[in-house]
Amino acid sequence: MSTAVLTERDGAVAILTLNRPDKLNALNAELFSALDEALVLLSKDATVACAILTGAGDKAFAAGADIAAMLEMSVEEARAFSETGHRVCSRIEHAPFPVIGAVNGFALGGGCEIALACDFLYASDRAKLGQPEVNLGVMPGFGGTQRLVRRVGIGRARELCYTGDAITASEALRIGLVNAVVPHTELLPKVREVAGKIAQKGRLAVAQCKRVLYTGADVPLDVANALETQSFSVLFGSRDRAEGMKAFLEKRPAIFTGT
């Protein structure tokens, strides 16, 4: 079994760790395969309410794709590699639970693209993020040009993709690439705290929020609002909705079961 991605459970929270610290967690076929497999398994597990994605070691979330592995790629092999990256990023986006990225160091190139697929990001104050592919004569290949636009706007995305510059965590916060910057040693505890808070909410409701926010962002407003109406009403058939409202009226914590 591959150890390229480690999976840990903390109650209803799953922690996925990209585990090639000697290579700054550079993305290769083995790591992508292991991450894809882990996400498939977690997505089938109804007890998972939230996930955290981070990198092993003290330096990197993922410092990009493995350049040594890419050096001799043919056009066909590069296309397959790109398709693999897109598939894994889509798996993160379509997981039935939020995935929070804990950016503990370098998140460059493919590493930044994996981070962008997460629902939102918290970064260490030591983190650096960017899309430096043009420095290598290539471009982002795992969705970076598209997700970056949706996260920070077309002007910032163009600047980062054209210059290849890496930016600090504080600059990433300023432009909206990350949600918060946390002292390095406090990053994972903070993200665990937020994930734990999400895990206490109505699981079906959070899943519907994720689905509608993701789908609604790229369709006309009236279509997105119709999707929201459908999802809102569907939740009224769940036990969790009845429990949540009853608990509120009884002034007690709700006990959600995901049903």
Side-chain angles (χ1 to χ4, degrees), residues 41-103:
L41 291 174
L42 291 175
S43 294
K44 293 177 181 178
D45 186 343
T47 68
V48 178
C50 192
I52 297 168
L53 181 61
T54 193
D58 204 40
K59 296 180 179 179
F61 175 82
D66 191 328
I67 306 305
M70 295 171 64
L71 182 60
E72 301 299 331
M73 278 185 181
S74 66
V75 170
E76 293 75 17
E77 289 168 334
R79 182 182 183 88
F81 191 48
S82 175
E83 289 172 346
T84 296
H86 277 280
R87 183 177 67 250
V88 174
C89 287
S90 180
R91 191 87 68 189
I92 294 169
E93 287 178 327
H94 289 91
F97 44 76
V99 180
I100 306 172
V103 182

Side-chain angles (χ1 to χ4, degrees), residues 148-163:
L148 197 56
V149 167
R150 288 159 172 78
R151 187 81 59 139
V152 303
I154 186 68
R156 297 290 185 191
R158 284 171 172 160
E159 182 180 22
L160 289 170
C161 289
Y162 297 171
T163 65

